[in-house]
Amino acid sequence: MGKPDLGAGAVSALINPYLFYIGLAIIALGVAIAMPRRRVNPQLIGGLVAGGGVGLLLLGMLVQAPEALPNVHFYIFGIVALAGALRMITHPRPVYA
């Protein structure tokens, strides 16, 4: 059981392409919801929607090719980096984020 070949069909080998695009659309929707507004600012809801999209992508990869997933530390640090990036672009004053 080696790693799958990540050639031309790398995305197809790891996850169903339709599930991949749906997950990316959900992540984009979550980021759009989390953007700062003048009145009500639903950043938590946007973060949860984006997190659900990331979870959908990870679940799709787990079902399609479980042997191709990296170590759990990769995902922990990746989630921390993505949360920091989301906070940076959604904070009203990015210098203080």
Side-chain angles (χ1 to χ4, degrees), residues 68-95:
L69 294 178
N71 193 350
V72 71
H73 294 101
F74 172 78
Y75 294 110
I76 291 171
F77 290 121
I79 289 170
V80 168
L82 289 175
L86 180 66
R87 184 65 181 149
M88 177 75 159
I89 64 172
T90 59
H91 197 277
R93 291 180 275 171
V95 174

Side-chain angles (χ1 to χ4, degrees), residues 3-17 20-21 60-61 64-65 68:
K3 300 260 183 190
D5 181 27
L6 298 178
V11 173
S12 297
L14 291 177
I15 190 171
N16 183 351
F20 180 71
Y21 293 130
M61 287 192 312
Q64 184 83 14

